Amino acid sequence: MSDSVVPPPAQPPVKLETPQQFREFIDQFDTFLFDCDGVLWSGSQQIPHVGEVLNYLRDLGKSLIFVTNNSTASRQSYVPKFEKLGLSVDPSEVFPSSYSAACYISTVLQIPTGSKLFVIGESGITSELTDLGYIVLGGDNEEDRRAWHDEEYDAIVPDGDVKAVVVGLDRHINYAKLARGYHHLQVPGCHFIATNTDATYPSSRKLFPGAGSILAPLELMVGRKAVSCGKPHPAMMDAIEGVRGVDRARTCMVGDRLDTDVKFGVDSGLGGTLAVLTGVVKEEEIVSGRFGVWSKYYAESLGELIKAKQQ
Amino acid sequence: MSDSVVPPPAQPPVKLETPQQFREFIDQFDTFLFDCDGVLWSGSQQIPHVGEVLNYLRDLGKSLIFVTNNSTASRQSYVPKFEKLGLSVDPSEVFPSSYSAACYISTVLQIPTGSKLFVIGESGITSELTDLGYIVLGGDNEEDRRAWHDEEYDAIVPDGDVKAVVVGLDRHINYAKLARGYHHLQVPGCHFIATNTDATYPSSRKLFPGAGSILAPLELMVGRKAVSCGKPHPAMMDAIEGVRGVDRARTCMVGDRLDTDVKFGVDSGLGGTLAVLTGVVKEEEIVSGRFGVWSKYYAESLGELIKAKQQ
């Protein structure tokens, strides 16, 4: 990621404003991927008209997928959050990075169910992997959260049956988990998977260590990068495609960040990207292609799409 | 660190073999810095004649300093290790990275004693800082080692009185320590200090996460590098100079690694470097300047210096 100069695309980002523009935009796509915070809601408030827009798109037969880098939750545990904000959602429409990692392991890497996986992470990733039939070592197991005595570390040895080390945000990270992850990664062929690489994690209007910060020691020790299954990495799109069979040319990513959401759409070869101004990105950053990332479209808000219903 | 081509120095590394060569080598220096493992001992065995060589150098009035990146021990706690291997040593001759960080904070940064420092590390760094009169938060405090409940993290706030965050190897690392370190580093002017940046830490013939791996999440989150007070970083030499007042032109670093020991001597502007073949580095790496690092001298073993006594 850098601010180095990237030439603008032949067609600069188009601002959608009229009912006609919104109708033509919607007609191009069968599937819409949505970032959540800053797109559907801001803090604890639904962004105006978003609920109507989502229902309108569903009525038109569009597929909706809500993609989030949060790995601490599973699909099922995300539903109450939507409902609290007045948004109806089906668990099958939610695609957190915990599920993305599980799908990538299952459908892209095709690691057989019943295999052992070593997890550094919380209940979201543990439950998604267990639901798919994997044997999870580590994860949110209470025994693995306790403080170890110094003399116990020497007993750590690689387990040749561990097919992947899977790393997400773990607020119970400890030295033993890092050491065990490192030793398992010494086994030839052991895959190295991350739910996402965000350095920080927002909570209660403050920042805390994110999945990328839990991952950093392991990447440093083993001298290689994990495959990240979160935005902006295209492996997340491979995972979505593996379970949902989308047509990328007729799929649009909607987000409030150029460096994660829009970059994810561009790098995944999607037919479209829509940046909205209800979150992080500012209009001047969109038109100047900040981070060298150019969205195809932008709009004031996802709620504006309701204009498409006007005659 | 890379293997990119660096031109050899005008004078390639000189292999010391004859009594005359060893005498001329010794005469050039007043102070010798020694790496320990692979130079003084290998595993649990003293390298032959090393005890005699150290006593011979002391008899000649040379200053000896044993520099190690191990931050878990203090100077005092290192003495029994030397004695067990049949080597006499004075605590004032030992310079672990824990003490290096403490000296750097005290004599280079001149942070006043009585100031608060937040420590991620073990008893070595905690005791060295406490001995100098600092108030240590975190460190090897038992209370800071316990597992936290999720709801406790929200109470973490920056402390404006914390003058530095000091990071070393901590086998009781947890999420709260990382989050607290990150929040304290948001205070303008808060220094960011590491004992050393080794990714791994050897123990019981296996590798475990090192100080650099404990440091990696914080560096990622704050987007800047800590000042490292261990080899190969010259801040360690600044710390040594601050408390020992050495003449760099008449100081020689002796080590078994080009990428840490010899690089440390070269980058610190020392008058000489001596690589020995009793540890990691091989003769062909010395003569080819592996890592783009060239030692001034090399010898089969530190024990060979005893030849200087022959007439």
Side-chain angles (χ1 to χ4, degrees), chain A:
Chain A
M1 192 67 51
S2 79
D3 287 307
S4 61
V5 178
V6 171
Q11 170 74 52
V14 173
K15 186 167 190 178
L16 305 179
E17 294 178 289
T18 69
Q20 175 72 12
Q21 282 179 309
F22 283 115
R23 276 194 293 270
E24 288 176 5
F25 165 77
I26 292 169
D27 284 348
Q28 292 178 60
F29 305 108
D30 300 326
T31 302
F32 290 89
L33 309 181
F34 299 97
D35 177 44
C36 301
D37 194 22
V39 176
L40 309 181
W41 57 73
S42 178
S44 58
Q45 296 288 316
Q46 185 194 132
I47 287 166
H49 306 297
V50 160
E52 290 168 76
V53 167
L54 298 182
N55 287 333
Y56 174 58
L57 293 173
R58 286 188 185 103
D59 289 345
L60 291 172
K62 309 294 186 187
S63 289
L64 311 186
I65 305 176
F66 303 100
V67 292
T68 165
N69 274 3
N70 190 333
S71 70
T72 62
S74 64
R75 286 164 297 162
Q76 190 61 52
S77 61
Y78 241 84
V79 173
K81 172 144 197 180
F82 278 75
E83 288 173 347
K84 207 168 143 189
L85 291 154
L87 297 168
S88 64
V89 70
D90 188 90
S92 70
E93 292 177 322
V94 185
F95 211 88
S97 65
S98 55
Y99 183 54
S100 180
C103 293
Y104 188 85
I105 288 164
S106 165
T107 66
V108 180
L109 296 180
Q110 302 191 329
I111 295 177
T113 56
S115 298
K116 277 192 204 171
L117 307 174
F118 181 75
V119 172
I120 297 177
E122 301 191 8
S123 61
I125 179 69
T126 305
S127 65
E128 293 290 5
L129 289 169
T130 306
D131 285 355
L132 288 180
Y134 293 106
I135 299 168
V136 169
L137 310 181
D140 62 344
N141 187 334
E142 274 301 324
E143 164 65 10
D144 292 321
R145 292 181 167 186
R146 71 175 173 83
W148 283 38
H149 299 288
D150 290 350
E151 58 275 16
E152 291 182 274
Y153 299 126
D154 285 348
I156 296 172
V157 289
D159 180 341
D161 291 335
V162 168
K163 300 300 181 201
V165 171
V166 188
V167 183
L169 176 54
D170 188 338
R171 284 166 290 189
H172 296 268
I173 187 65
N174 60 31
Y175 194 76
K177 290 187 190 186
L178 292 173
R180 290 164 73 195
Y182 170 69
H183 281 273
H184 295 321
L185 283 167
Q186 306 306 308
V187 175
C190 182
H191 293 277
F192 187 17
I193 307 294
T195 58
N196 62 302
T197 58
D198 300 64
T200 55
Y201 170 80
S203 177
S204 308
R205 295 166 194 261
K206 291 193 278 195
L207 293 177
F208 291 91
S213 293
I214 304 300
L215 178 67
L218 284 167
E219 289 194 334
L220 181 70
M221 279 185 279
V222 300
R224 62 187 169 113
K225 295 283 182 193
V227 173
S228 167
C229 300
K231 297 174 291 179
H233 300 98
M236 189 180 219
M237 196 63 219
D238 297 339
I240 292 171
E241 199 173 42
V243 290
R244 296 284 295 256
V246 298
D247 175 357
R248 294 192 190 208
R250 288 191 57 81
T251 298
C252 182
M253 174 69 205
V254 184
D256 73 317
R257 294 183 66 127
L258 295 178
D259 56 345
T260 50
D261 302 321
V262 174
K263 185 172 166 57
F264 170 66
V266 171
D267 289 357
S268 299
L270 301 188
T273 54
L274 173 69
V276 293
L277 298 171
T278 45
V280 171
V281 76
K282 294 180 174 54
E283 185 163 3
E284 57 268 28
E285 295 173 324
I286 294 171
V287 297
S288 67
R290 187 153 187 234
F291 306 122
V293 177
W294 302 86
S295 69
K296 196 162 178 181
Y297 302 102
Y298 71 105
E300 288 291 334
S301 156
L302 175 60
E304 289 254 296
L305 264 73
I306 206 64
K307 287 185 182 170
K309 285 177 87 170
Q310 295 172 12
Q311 292 312 312

Side-chain angles (χ1 to χ4, degrees), chain B residues 19-29 297 308:
Chain B
Q20 175 72 10
Q21 282 179 309
F22 284 115
R23 277 193 293 272
E24 287 174 5
F25 164 77
I26 292 169
D27 283 348
Q28 291 178 61
F29 306 107
Y297 303 101

Side-chain angles (χ1 to χ4, degrees), chain B residues 4 10 40 43 107 185-186 200 262 282 294-295:
Chain B
S4 62
L40 310 181
T107 66
L185 283 168
Q186 305 305 307
T200 54
V262 174
K282 294 182 172 55
W294 301 86
S295 68

Side-chain angles (χ1 to χ4, degrees), chain B residues 133-165:
Chain B
Y134 292 107
I135 298 168
V136 169
L137 309 181
D140 62 344
N141 187 333
E142 273 301 324
E143 164 66 11
D144 293 320
R145 292 182 168 186
R146 71 176 173 81
W148 283 38
H149 299 289
D150 289 350
E151 58 276 15
E152 290 183 276
Y153 300 125
D154 285 347
I156 295 172
V157 289
D159 180 340
D161 291 334
V162 168
K163 300 302 180 200
V165 171

